[in-house]
Amino acid sequence: QKEVEQNSGPLSVPEGAIASLNCTYSDRGSQSFFWYRQYSGKSPELIMSIYSNGDKEDGRFTAQLNKASQYVSLLIRDSQPSDSATYLCAVLDTGNQFYFGTGTSLTVIP
Amino acid sequence: DVKVTQSSRYLVKRTGEKVFLECVQDMDHENMFWYRQDPGLGLRLIYFSYDVKMKEKGDIPEGYSVSREKKERFSLILESASTNQTSMYLCASSLLAGYSYEQYFGPGTRLTVT
């Protein structure tokens, strides 16, 4: 069974701080990785995708990928209360199937 | 922008009823997916389709069937609804292009079976 593991949290950070969200995956051959944000009662919204080792930045968001360690993370700089949500990590495995983690709940405290 | 729509936001059905959930996407995506999401269990794949009239079972297909007669439309069918099928149902679509399989989700249907 392919697995994507996330710390369920809840993770609380003060406004303006950096929030760090982590994800590990079991299929070493996976090539595509995604971060989704899901507000309570809403559907997941794609915020970042990353395919190569290293960092990828988009505004206040940075995704980091380390395929050797089978680890992907999401950093949110200058966290805002509007960032309070559940963040889902998703991995596309070697069989072209998506696997989602169960999500990390983030609360940004004003 | 990609737009994925689902036929209902909220649905209440009785045990034993046949239930149809419709999903439509307007971006000419080849792949379409049906998930259910339950607290503590995350997103679980029910079925997916990579082409018209094609379907593949996901992790939890039991009690469900699907239909894809047109590229833009993917239907999920609960043959005989049961209370353990009360859940949030999410449809998604993606391109079939290299490995940039970014999935885009519809707003979801919260189904309650009584």
Side-chain angles (χ1 to χ4, degrees):
Chain A
Q1 175 70 28
K2 307 288 174 59
E3 289 186 353
V4 177
E5 300 282 347
Q6 293 182 254
N7 188 334
S8 62
L11 175 66
S12 294
V13 300
E15 184 174 355
I18 296 175
S20 178
L21 304 162
N22 304 315
C23 174
T24 59
Y25 58 94
S26 62
D27 184 357
R28 181 170 289 278
S30 298
Q31 295 291 331
S32 306
F33 307 88
F34 309 88
W35 282 101
Y36 287 81
R37 177 177 60 202
Q38 187 174 23
Y39 293 113
S40 181
K42 303 293 186 183
S43 62
E45 171 193 11
L46 179 68
I47 53 173
M48 291 283 288
S49 56
I50 186 166
Y51 309 106
S52 304
N53 277 329
D55 294 359
K56 179 182 178 182
E57 189 173 315
D58 184 0
R60 295 186 296 110
F61 297 97
T62 299
Q64 299 175 317
L65 175 61
N66 184 327
K67 290 183 181 178
S69 300
Q70 296 175 234
Y71 177 90
V72 59
S73 65
L74 180 70
L75 301 178
I76 307 174
R77 291 184 302 281
D78 188 23
S79 295
Q80 301 296 309
S82 60
D83 294 326
S84 298
T86 296
Y87 289 81
L88 303 175
C89 172
V91 175
L92 185 68
D93 75 355
T94 49
N96 287 335
Q97 283 230 29
F98 259 78
Y99 288 91
F100 285 84
T102 53
T104 298
S105 175
L106 172 67
T107 300
V108 180
I109 303 166
Chain B
D1 279 352
V2 176
K3 189 166 184 183
V4 181
T5 58
Q6 295 183 228
S7 49
S8 305
R9 289 301 309 276
Y10 301 94
L11 209 52
V12 180
K13 294 293 182 180
R14 294 194 180 276
T15 301
E17 278 193 85
K18 192 168 187 176
V19 181
F20 294 87
L21 303 181
E22 296 274 308
C23 176
V24 178
Q25 50 93 5
D26 67 356
M27 285 303 292
D28 203 35
H29 283 175
E30 292 88 357
N31 295 335
M32 296 188 76
F33 308 82
W34 275 107
Y35 295 91
R36 63 177 284 178
Q37 187 175 33
D38 302 287
L41 296 177
L43 280 160
R44 292 181 291 169
L45 182 64
I46 304 171
Y47 269 97
F48 67 99
S49 169
Y50 53 87
D51 201 354
V52 175
K53 296 192 185 295
M54 304 302 288
K55 61 184 179 184
E56 294 285 343
K57 292 180 180 179
D59 298 320
I60 52 164
E62 296 79 18
Y64 303 95
S65 61
V66 291
S67 172
R68 193 165 180 201
E69 297 296 319
K70 294 184 178 181
K71 189 175 185 179
E72 68 271 17
R73 189 179 298 270
F74 192 34
S75 302
L76 179 70
I77 303 150
L78 285 66
E79 298 290 343
S80 177
S82 64
T83 54
N84 63 12
Q85 292 179 309
T86 292
S87 186
M88 170 71 93
Y89 288 88
L90 291 160
C91 175
S93 72
S94 76
L95 283 169
L96 184 68
Y99 49 72
S100 60
Y101 285 74
E102 297 175 346
Q103 288 196 11
Y104 296 89
F105 284 86
T109 295
R110 185 164 294 280
L111 172 67
T112 301
V113 182
T114 62

